[in-house]
């Protein structure tokens, strides 16, 4: 997979029709949508198996619970599907270079892409937030960073799931 630009996050609106469609979808279709939110097959199967969800909040609570229960192998699988975000193509070349170098250092230290939820962070502050996050997290011990990455992955899954249900 290529490295996408830092996505717009913070989608808060959803439609009941999207949730109804998700609830009525085949298990394979529901799991495919969920795998786009978090790359753990076990997580996707578990969330899909508990349908129907009466509200988006109930779905997000189930997604969180499944995220907290990821085994080490499940977390590795989910992290292997993540890619390091690059800044907007209009960002100055020095910023793109700094971010590529920071991502490379992180991936060399921890063996997976840097994950961070930027939900609620204004677009103009995202690059700085990513760089600061990488720099601060590079000092973490491996197990401490796995816990931080798992939490960020849960937050990303919530945002992606909300966006996906809204678009269903």
């Amino acid at each position: 997979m290529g490295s996408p630009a830092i996505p717009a996050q913070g989608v808060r609106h959803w439609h009941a029709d999207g949730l109804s469609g998700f609830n009525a979808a085949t298990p394979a279709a529901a799991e495919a949508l969920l795998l786009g939110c978090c790359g753990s097959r076990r997580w996707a199967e578990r969330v899909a198996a508990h349908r129907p969800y009466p509200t988006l909040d109930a779905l997000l609570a189930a997604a969180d619970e499944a995220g907290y229960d990821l085994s080490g192998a499940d977390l590795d699988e989910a992290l292997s599907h993540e890619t390091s975000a690059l800044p907007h193509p209009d960002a100055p070349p020095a910023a793109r270079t700094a971010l590529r170098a920071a991502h490379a250092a992180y991936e060399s230290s921890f063996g997976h892409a840097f994950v961070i939820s930027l939900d609620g962070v204004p677009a103009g502050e995202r690059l700085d937030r990513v760089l600061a996050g990488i720099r601060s997290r590079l000092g973490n011990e491996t197990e401490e960073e796995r816990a931080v990455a798992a939490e960020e992955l849960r937050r990303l899954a919530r945002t992606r799931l909300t966006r996906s249900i809204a678009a269903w």
Side-chain angles (χ1 to χ4, degrees):
M1 280 195 233
S3 297
I6 295 173
Q9 296 186 8
V11 175
R12 296 277 184 224
H13 304 289
W14 65 281
H15 303 287
D17 291 347
L19 183 60
S20 296
F22 173 74
N23 282 335
T26 66
E31 288 173 20
L33 177 135
L34 291 163
L35 282 169
C37 300
C38 176
S40 164
R41 181 153 302 282
R42 183 171 163 258
W43 178 88
E45 290 170 351
R46 182 172 171 189
V47 175
H50 287 92
R51 293 174 304 145
Y53 292 99
T55 64
L56 180 63
D57 286 340
L59 171 58
L60 295 176
D64 282 346
E65 182 180 332
Y68 285 117
D69 290 342
L70 290 179
S71 69
D74 296 330
L75 179 59
D76 289 341
E77 178 186 28
L79 289 171
S80 75
H81 286 86
E82 296 295 321
T83 58
S84 297
L86 292 177
H88 191 277
D90 294 339
R96 290 194 304 269
T97 300
L99 190 57
R100 277 194 299 274
H103 279 302
Y106 180 91
E107 290 172 17
S108 175
S109 292
F110 298 110
H112 59 80
F114 177 76
V115 291
I116 187 169
S117 173
L118 298 171
D119 194 23
V121 176
E125 297 175 19
R126 290 185 180 146
L127 176 60
D128 289 339
R129 183 74 57 95
V130 171
L131 284 169
I134 292 172
R135 288 180 185 127
S136 71
R137 288 169 52 188
L138 275 170
N140 289 347
E141 295 295 326
T142 301
E143 287 308 308
E144 178 184 12
E145 181 53 28
R146 283 181 64 78
V148 172
E151 179 58 29
E152 292 296 327
L153 191 61
R154 278 188 292 278
R155 293 178 62 208
L156 282 169
R158 286 179 64 89
T159 300
R160 292 169 179 166
L161 186 52
T162 300
R163 185 180 303 126
S164 295
I165 293 298
W168 189 281

